[in-house]
Amino acid sequence: MNEWLLIALMALVTYLPRWLPFALAGKVHLPAPLERALDFVPIAVLTSIIAQTALVRDGTLDISPNNYHAIAALIAFAVALLTRRLFITIVAGLACFAMLRIFL
Amino acid sequence: MHTPAKQLWLGALETLPLVVAAFPFGIVFGAMANAMGLGAGVTLGMSAIVFAGSSQFIALTLLASAAALPVIVMTVFIVNLRQLLYSANLMHHVDRWPQWQRAALAFFLTDETFAVVSDRLNRHPGAPGLRWFYLGSALFMYSFWQLSTALGYALGSRIPGLADWGLDVAMVVAFIGIVVPALHRRADWACAAVALVSAVLTHDWPHQTGLLFSSLLAVAVGMAMSREPAHE
């Protein structure tokens, strides 16, 4: 297989979905329901990524106390709810994870 | 506060935990490509021209299984439909940008940069200098993705176990810090809950199709539950 052809085609199918809506912005008018649906994209996609990264470790669902990613996520969730501050949430989550790794 | 330099810096700063989380993956990608016998030029070229972590890993996996070229390209396209949602979500915020800036900045639209840009829009709606903030995040992600790929390729099998440190936890807690303050309405909470459960249940679907399915399902549920009249 021609590796550079593969890269060129991969680049194309990666770039087009990133660029097309940007290019059409201001030119096409999306239907109102679609606009409303798109508002949910950050919550929907980022939460899906969080779930699959924190709760699925090494390809299997892990909701045991041995899953430090999940515990750190839980702490981060609580801190985010209380403070709504990004920086504090990250520091609390990472500190929790580091302590679990060091002391347990 | 809103000078270009300041925004550029802020964009990079907010992306820092996500860069830390992505770094080991770049190293693993480089090392995997090396182990598979891919040339240095092809490996670095893929990171430089494609710049999409999940797509690059999937391409490697498919290459290893001797998949045909159209299969790889089609799979990569499906994985990237997530970025189509990101781009569409940002349409209203880029419609005043010149086309050349949209074309340039779209190239850097990763999970990470979308997350921090979306966070900024949620916390400071309408604040000026978005494109500089975006660019700061983009360039930081891009340069470290190249660096980590090169490092991984050079180290090859002598990977220093960085992948086992669990640095991806930085992405998890950063995304939580971004999502939680965006949960305002009951529909937002329902959307997040559905995404969480669905993503876990579909985690073993091939090529991240579970991620795409869960995202679309969660959007649909959020839609169905929001009763506000449509604006704009």
Side-chain angles (χ1 to χ4, degrees):
Chain A
M1 181 183 311
N2 186 330
E3 290 160 338
W4 285 105
L5 176 66
L6 172 68
I7 290 180
L9 291 175
M10 278 178 68
L12 188 73
V13 296
T14 302
Y15 181 68
L16 282 182
R18 286 172 172 174
W19 170 65
L20 273 180
F22 270 28
L24 295 175
K27 290 181 177 169
V28 296
H29 200 72
L30 297 182
L34 184 58
E35 297 256 351
R36 217 150 48 84
L38 286 171
D39 285 345
F40 288 100
V41 163
I43 297 172
V45 186
L46 298 181
T47 306
S48 300
I49 295 175
I50 293 167
Q52 290 199 349
T53 312
L55 301 180
V56 180
R57 304 303 302 173
D58 296 323
T60 48
L61 176 64
D62 182 359
I63 41 175
S64 74
N66 295 323
N67 182 351
Y68 297 164
H69 281 74
I71 297 173
L74 212 57
I75 297 293
F77 176 68
V79 172
L81 264 186
L82 290 172
T83 69
R84 303 183 92 77
R85 298 277 299 278
L86 178 59
F87 182 71
I88 298 176
T89 302
I90 292 172
V91 169
L94 290 184
C96 163
F97 185 78
M99 283 195 291
L100 289 168
R101 286 298 286 259
I102 294 167
F103 296 116
L104 293 182
Chain B
M1 191 59 193
H2 292 298
T3 63
K6 181 94 182 178
Q7 290 301 320
L8 209 64
W9 164 248
L10 268 178
L13 191 66
E14 273 217 33
T15 313
L16 176 63
L18 303 172
V19 167
V20 170
F23 204 77
F25 287 97
I27 290 190
V28 171
F29 172 77
M32 251 174 86
N34 188 339
M36 279 178 54
L38 241 61
V42 170
T43 306
L44 301 184
M46 199 188 279
S47 278
I49 302 169
V50 178
F51 186 46
S54 359
S55 302
Q56 292 178 226
F57 270 107
I58 285 164
L60 276 194
T61 316
L62 290 175
L63 272 175
S65 65
L69 188 136
V71 173
I72 302 180
V73 174
M74 197 60 215
T75 309
V76 167
F77 177 68
I78 292 168
V79 170
N80 284 316
L81 289 180
R82 191 162 83 239
Q83 275 70 16
L84 184 71
L85 295 178
Y86 295 162
S87 185
N89 174 269
L90 294 176
M91 278 172 89
H92 275 304
H93 305 282
V94 306
D95 56 8
R96 304 280 172 79
W97 299 1
Q99 284 290 350
W100 71 269
Q101 290 183 2
R102 302 186 204 178
L105 289 174
F107 173 77
F108 300 101
L109 191 55
T110 55
D111 294 327
E112 288 83 355
T113 291
F114 175 72
V116 298
V117 165
S118 160
D119 181 57
R120 185 184 187 275
L121 290 170
N122 179 41
R123 287 172 201 268
H124 311 288
L130 180 70
R131 69 194 88 178
W132 292 104
F133 180 92
Y134 184 126
L135 184 66
S137 168
L139 293 181
F140 194 24
M141 270 312 287
Y142 187 76
S143 48
F144 274 77
W145 184 246
Q146 310 313 317
L147 188 67
S148 58
T149 304
L151 208 59
Y153 194 88
L155 291 171
S157 53
R158 291 164 288 136
I159 303 183
L162 204 57
D164 304 324
W165 288 15
L167 288 179
D168 54 350
V169 74
M171 182 193 74
V172 171
V173 298
F175 279 7
I176 288 173
I178 288 168
V179 168
V180 171
L183 301 173
H184 303 294
R185 305 162 290 175
R186 278 184 60 211
D188 297 332
W189 283 92
C191 174
V194 168
L196 187 82
V197 174
S198 174
V200 165
L201 293 178
T202 61
H203 75 86
D204 54 357
W205 289 17
H207 310 314
Q208 302 191 341
T209 44
L211 211 53
L212 186 64
F213 170 81
S214 302
S215 303
L216 293 175
L217 182 67
V219 165
V221 168
M223 248 313 256
M225 283 200 58
S226 62
R227 291 280 175 269
E228 289 102 320
H231 294 296
E232 285 161 338

